[in-house]
Short mmCIF file of all heavy atoms in Angstrom, two decimals:
data_model
loop_
_atom_site.label_atom_id
_atom_site.label_comp_id
_atom_site.label_asym_id
_atom_site.label_seq_id
_atom_site.Cartn_x
_atom_site.Cartn_y
_atom_site.Cartn_z
N CYS A 1 137.62 -61.73 14.53
CA CYS A 1 138.03 -61.63 15.92
C CYS A 1 139.30 -62.43 16.26
O CYS A 1 139.48 -63.52 15.63
CB CYS A 1 136.94 -62.01 16.85
SG CYS A 1 135.36 -61.11 16.61
N GLU A 2 140.04 -62.01 17.23
CA GLU A 2 141.18 -62.85 17.70
C GLU A 2 140.61 -64.10 18.35
O GLU A 2 141.20 -65.14 18.20
CB GLU A 2 142.03 -62.02 18.66
CG GLU A 2 142.69 -60.81 17.98
CD GLU A 2 143.50 -60.03 18.93
OE1 GLU A 2 143.53 -60.39 20.16
OE2 GLU A 2 144.12 -58.94 18.50
N THR A 3 139.55 -64.00 19.07
CA THR A 3 138.96 -65.11 19.70
C THR A 3 137.90 -65.69 18.80
O THR A 3 136.89 -65.04 18.47
CB THR A 3 138.28 -64.75 21.00
OG1 THR A 3 139.23 -64.12 21.83
CG2 THR A 3 137.67 -65.95 21.70
N ASP A 4 138.14 -66.98 18.33
CA ASP A 4 137.21 -67.58 17.33
C ASP A 4 136.10 -68.21 18.06
O ASP A 4 136.16 -69.41 18.56
CB ASP A 4 137.97 -68.56 16.50
CG ASP A 4 137.16 -69.18 15.40
OD1 ASP A 4 136.14 -68.56 15.07
OD2 ASP A 4 137.58 -70.16 14.85
N LEU A 5 134.99 -67.54 18.24
CA LEU A 5 133.82 -68.05 18.90
C LEU A 5 132.96 -68.71 17.85
O LEU A 5 132.15 -68.06 17.19
CB LEU A 5 133.03 -66.90 19.62
CG LEU A 5 133.85 -66.21 20.66
CD1 LEU A 5 132.98 -65.09 21.33
CD2 LEU A 5 134.38 -67.12 21.71
N VAL A 6 133.15 -70.02 17.69
CA VAL A 6 132.47 -70.79 16.61
C VAL A 6 130.95 -70.74 16.77
O VAL A 6 130.26 -70.57 15.78
CB VAL A 6 132.94 -72.21 16.65
CG1 VAL A 6 132.19 -73.04 15.51
CG2 VAL A 6 134.47 -72.32 16.33
N ASP A 7 130.44 -70.89 17.96
CA ASP A 7 129.00 -70.93 18.17
C ASP A 7 128.41 -69.58 17.73
O ASP A 7 127.33 -69.59 17.13
CB ASP A 7 128.71 -71.12 19.67
CG ASP A 7 128.85 -72.65 20.03
OD1 ASP A 7 129.13 -73.46 19.09
OD2 ASP A 7 128.73 -72.93 21.19
N THR A 8 129.13 -68.54 18.06
CA THR A 8 128.56 -67.21 17.68
C THR A 8 128.56 -67.01 16.09
O THR A 8 127.66 -66.50 15.58
CB THR A 8 129.40 -66.09 18.32
OG1 THR A 8 129.43 -66.32 19.73
CG2 THR A 8 128.73 -64.74 18.02
N ARG A 9 129.58 -67.57 15.49
CA ARG A 9 129.62 -67.44 14.02
C ARG A 9 128.53 -68.26 13.41
O ARG A 9 127.89 -67.81 12.46
CB ARG A 9 131.02 -67.99 13.50
CG ARG A 9 132.16 -67.05 13.92
CD ARG A 9 133.52 -67.79 13.69
NE ARG A 9 133.68 -68.12 12.28
CZ ARG A 9 134.23 -67.32 11.34
NH1 ARG A 9 134.66 -66.10 11.73
NH2 ARG A 9 134.48 -67.74 10.18
N ILE A 10 128.22 -69.44 13.94
CA ILE A 10 127.15 -70.24 13.47
C ILE A 10 125.82 -69.54 13.74
O ILE A 10 124.89 -69.55 12.89
CB ILE A 10 127.19 -71.63 14.13
CG1 ILE A 10 128.37 -72.41 13.69
CG2 ILE A 10 125.87 -72.38 13.81
CD1 ILE A 10 128.58 -73.68 14.41
N ALA A 11 125.72 -68.85 14.91
CA ALA A 11 124.44 -68.10 15.17
C ALA A 11 124.21 -67.03 14.16
O ALA A 11 123.05 -66.84 13.73
CB ALA A 11 124.51 -67.57 16.57
N TYR A 12 125.24 -66.32 13.76
CA TYR A 12 125.11 -65.31 12.73
C TYR A 12 124.82 -65.89 11.35
O TYR A 12 124.16 -65.24 10.55
CB TYR A 12 126.29 -64.38 12.78
CG TYR A 12 126.16 -63.25 13.75
CD1 TYR A 12 126.49 -63.42 15.13
CD2 TYR A 12 125.54 -62.01 13.36
CE1 TYR A 12 126.29 -62.42 16.02
CE2 TYR A 12 125.33 -61.08 14.35
CZ TYR A 12 125.73 -61.23 15.64
OH TYR A 12 125.46 -60.25 16.53
N LEU A 13 125.39 -67.04 11.08
CA LEU A 13 125.08 -67.69 9.81
C LEU A 13 123.61 -68.03 9.71
O LEU A 13 122.93 -67.80 8.74
CB LEU A 13 125.89 -68.97 9.69
CG LEU A 13 125.60 -69.85 8.41
CD1 LEU A 13 125.95 -69.05 7.22
CD2 LEU A 13 126.48 -71.10 8.46
N ILE A 14 123.04 -68.60 10.86
CA ILE A 14 121.64 -68.89 10.93
C ILE A 14 120.78 -67.62 10.81
O ILE A 14 119.78 -67.59 10.16
CB ILE A 14 121.30 -69.71 12.17
CG1 ILE A 14 121.96 -71.10 12.13
CG2 ILE A 14 119.78 -69.89 12.38
CD1 ILE A 14 121.85 -71.87 13.41
N LEU A 15 121.24 -66.55 11.46
CA LEU A 15 120.53 -65.33 11.42
C LEU A 15 120.46 -64.82 9.97
O LEU A 15 119.36 -64.38 9.54
CB LEU A 15 121.22 -64.24 12.24
CG LEU A 15 120.65 -62.86 12.18
CD1 LEU A 15 119.30 -62.81 12.79
CD2 LEU A 15 121.58 -61.82 12.94
N GLY A 16 121.54 -64.89 9.23
CA GLY A 16 121.51 -64.50 7.75
C GLY A 16 120.58 -65.34 7.00
O GLY A 16 119.86 -64.87 6.04
N GLU A 17 120.58 -66.64 7.28
CA GLU A 17 119.74 -67.58 6.53
C GLU A 17 118.27 -67.29 6.77
O GLU A 17 117.45 -67.27 5.81
CB GLU A 17 120.11 -69.04 7.02
CG GLU A 17 119.18 -70.05 6.57
CD GLU A 17 119.43 -71.38 7.24
OE1 GLU A 17 120.59 -71.68 7.59
OE2 GLU A 17 118.43 -72.16 7.50
N VAL A 18 117.90 -67.06 8.08
CA VAL A 18 116.47 -66.83 8.40
C VAL A 18 116.09 -65.44 7.84
O VAL A 18 114.93 -65.29 7.29
CB VAL A 18 116.27 -66.81 9.89
CG1 VAL A 18 114.86 -66.45 10.32
CG2 VAL A 18 116.48 -68.26 10.38
N ASN A 19 116.98 -64.48 7.95
CA ASN A 19 116.68 -63.11 7.40
C ASN A 19 116.28 -63.23 5.92
O ASN A 19 115.32 -62.72 5.47
CB ASN A 19 117.95 -62.21 7.62
CG ASN A 19 117.66 -60.80 7.14
OD1 ASN A 19 116.50 -60.27 7.16
ND2 ASN A 19 118.70 -60.20 6.70
N ARG A 20 117.18 -63.93 5.15
CA ARG A 20 116.95 -64.02 3.72
C ARG A 20 115.63 -64.80 3.43
O ARG A 20 114.89 -64.45 2.60
CB ARG A 20 118.14 -64.73 3.06
CG ARG A 20 118.07 -64.73 1.53
CD ARG A 20 119.31 -65.41 0.90
NE ARG A 20 119.25 -65.31 -0.51
CZ ARG A 20 119.71 -64.30 -1.23
NH1 ARG A 20 120.31 -63.27 -0.58
NH2 ARG A 20 119.62 -64.30 -2.48
N ALA A 21 115.45 -65.94 4.16
CA ALA A 21 114.28 -66.77 3.90
C ALA A 21 113.01 -66.05 4.20
O ALA A 21 111.96 -66.19 3.48
CB ALA A 21 114.32 -68.08 4.76
N THR A 22 113.04 -65.20 5.23
CA THR A 22 111.89 -64.40 5.56
C THR A 22 111.55 -63.31 4.55
O THR A 22 110.43 -63.17 4.10
CB THR A 22 112.06 -63.72 6.95
OG1 THR A 22 112.25 -64.74 7.92
CG2 THR A 22 110.84 -62.91 7.39
N GLN A 23 112.60 -62.61 4.10
CA GLN A 23 112.36 -61.53 3.11
C GLN A 23 112.00 -62.01 1.74
O GLN A 23 111.26 -61.36 1.01
CB GLN A 23 113.64 -60.63 3.08
CG GLN A 23 113.88 -59.90 4.34
CD GLN A 23 114.76 -58.73 4.12
OE1 GLN A 23 114.55 -57.92 3.21
NE2 GLN A 23 115.82 -58.61 4.97
N ILE A 24 112.50 -63.23 1.32
CA ILE A 24 112.16 -63.77 0.02
C ILE A 24 110.67 -63.98 -0.18
O ILE A 24 110.14 -63.93 -1.28
CB ILE A 24 112.92 -65.08 -0.22
CG1 ILE A 24 114.39 -64.73 -0.53
CG2 ILE A 24 112.29 -65.90 -1.33
CD1 ILE A 24 115.26 -65.97 -0.74
N ARG A 25 109.93 -64.20 0.92
CA ARG A 25 108.52 -64.36 0.86
C ARG A 25 107.79 -63.19 0.21
O ARG A 25 106.73 -63.31 -0.41
CB ARG A 25 107.93 -64.66 2.25
CG ARG A 25 108.42 -65.90 2.83
CD ARG A 25 107.99 -66.15 4.27
NE ARG A 25 106.55 -66.17 4.38
CZ ARG A 25 105.90 -66.35 5.52
NH1 ARG A 25 106.63 -66.50 6.70
NH2 ARG A 25 104.58 -66.37 5.64
N GLY A 26 108.43 -61.93 0.38
CA GLY A 26 107.78 -60.73 -0.16
C GLY A 26 106.76 -60.17 0.73
O GLY A 26 105.74 -60.78 1.05
N TRP A 27 107.08 -58.98 1.27
CA TRP A 27 106.15 -58.26 2.14
C TRP A 27 105.98 -56.87 1.64
O TRP A 27 106.63 -56.37 0.69
CB TRP A 27 106.77 -58.22 3.59
CG TRP A 27 107.13 -59.51 4.16
CD1 TRP A 27 108.30 -60.22 3.91
CD2 TRP A 27 106.35 -60.33 5.05
NE1 TRP A 27 108.26 -61.45 4.57
CE2 TRP A 27 107.13 -61.48 5.30
CE3 TRP A 27 105.13 -60.16 5.64
CZ2 TRP A 27 106.60 -62.54 6.16
CZ3 TRP A 27 104.63 -61.17 6.42
CH2 TRP A 27 105.39 -62.33 6.66
N HIS A 28 105.01 -56.18 2.25
CA HIS A 28 104.69 -54.81 1.81
C HIS A 28 105.94 -53.94 1.92
O HIS A 28 106.14 -53.04 1.07
CB HIS A 28 103.46 -54.29 2.69
CG HIS A 28 103.11 -52.88 2.30
ND1 HIS A 28 102.61 -52.54 1.09
CD2 HIS A 28 103.11 -51.70 3.00
CE1 HIS A 28 102.29 -51.29 1.04
NE2 HIS A 28 102.58 -50.79 2.14
N TRP A 29 106.71 -54.15 2.87
CA TRP A 29 107.89 -53.29 3.20
C TRP A 29 109.15 -53.53 2.36
O TRP A 29 110.07 -52.82 2.39
CB TRP A 29 108.23 -53.30 4.69
CG TRP A 29 108.11 -54.69 5.37
CD1 TRP A 29 107.02 -55.15 6.06
CD2 TRP A 29 109.14 -55.71 5.31
NE1 TRP A 29 107.30 -56.41 6.52
CE2 TRP A 29 108.57 -56.78 6.09
CE3 TRP A 29 110.42 -55.83 4.85
CZ2 TRP A 29 109.25 -57.96 6.33
CZ3 TRP A 29 111.06 -56.97 5.08
CH2 TRP A 29 110.49 -58.05 5.76
N ASN A 30 109.07 -54.70 1.59
CA ASN A 30 110.27 -54.93 0.76
C ASN A 30 109.94 -55.22 -0.72
O ASN A 30 110.69 -55.71 -1.47
CB ASN A 30 111.19 -56.07 1.31
CG ASN A 30 110.58 -57.41 1.18
OD1 ASN A 30 109.40 -57.58 1.07
ND2 ASN A 30 111.40 -58.44 1.11
N THR A 31 108.65 -54.88 -1.01
CA THR A 31 108.15 -55.07 -2.41
C THR A 31 107.76 -53.79 -3.01
O THR A 31 107.08 -52.92 -2.38
CB THR A 31 106.96 -56.01 -2.41
OG1 THR A 31 107.29 -57.23 -1.74
CG2 THR A 31 106.44 -56.24 -3.81
N GLU A 32 108.25 -53.51 -4.21
CA GLU A 32 107.96 -52.23 -4.90
C GLU A 32 107.37 -52.53 -6.30
O GLU A 32 107.86 -53.46 -7.01
CB GLU A 32 109.18 -51.38 -5.04
CG GLU A 32 109.76 -50.93 -3.73
CD GLU A 32 110.94 -49.99 -3.89
OE1 GLU A 32 111.11 -49.48 -5.03
OE2 GLU A 32 111.65 -49.74 -2.91
N SER A 33 106.30 -51.83 -6.72
CA SER A 33 105.68 -52.04 -7.98
C SER A 33 106.22 -51.02 -9.03
O SER A 33 106.80 -49.96 -8.71
CB SER A 33 104.15 -51.81 -7.81
OG SER A 33 103.67 -52.77 -6.85
N ASP A 34 105.94 -51.38 -10.27
CA ASP A 34 106.37 -50.45 -11.38
C ASP A 34 107.80 -50.12 -11.33
O ASP A 34 108.18 -48.90 -11.62
CB ASP A 34 105.49 -49.23 -11.43
CG ASP A 34 104.04 -49.57 -11.91
OD1 ASP A 34 103.90 -50.47 -12.68
OD2 ASP A 34 103.05 -48.89 -11.45
N VAL A 35 108.65 -51.01 -11.02
CA VAL A 35 110.08 -50.80 -11.06
C VAL A 35 110.57 -51.02 -12.52
O VAL A 35 110.30 -52.06 -13.14
CB VAL A 35 110.86 -51.76 -10.19
CG1 VAL A 35 112.39 -51.48 -10.26
CG2 VAL A 35 110.41 -51.54 -8.70
N THR A 36 111.21 -50.02 -13.07
CA THR A 36 111.69 -50.10 -14.46
C THR A 36 113.05 -50.83 -14.51
O THR A 36 114.02 -50.39 -13.88
CB THR A 36 111.83 -48.67 -15.04
OG1 THR A 36 110.52 -48.06 -15.06
CG2 THR A 36 112.33 -48.84 -16.49
N LEU A 37 113.07 -51.88 -15.19
CA LEU A 37 114.28 -52.68 -15.40
C LEU A 37 114.78 -52.46 -16.88
O LEU A 37 114.10 -52.88 -17.83
CB LEU A 37 114.07 -54.21 -15.18
CG LEU A 37 113.45 -54.49 -13.75
CD1 LEU A 37 113.09 -55.95 -13.59
CD2 LEU A 37 114.41 -54.15 -12.68
#
């Protein structure tokens, strides 16, 4: 953005952090079995 809203950028950084930390725990909706690697 032309307007550098630092607080908003930090808010989105935290959002990405919490999103990843939550999903890493492993839930029914993001875990798949018998995946062939």
Side-chain angles (χ1 to χ4, degrees):
C1 306
E2 294 177 1
T3 304
D4 186 15
L5 301 180
V6 177
D7 284 354
T8 307
R9 291 166 63 87
I10 294 175
Y12 272 88
L13 177 61
I14 293 174
L15 177 65
E17 172 190 326
V18 174
N19 182 30
R20 187 178 185 88
T22 300
Q23 294 201 48
I24 282 177
R25 296 173 61 177
W27 304 84
H28 182 63
W29 39 266
N30 72 335
T31 303
E32 297 185 13
S33 301
D34 286 331
V35 177
T36 300
L37 304 174

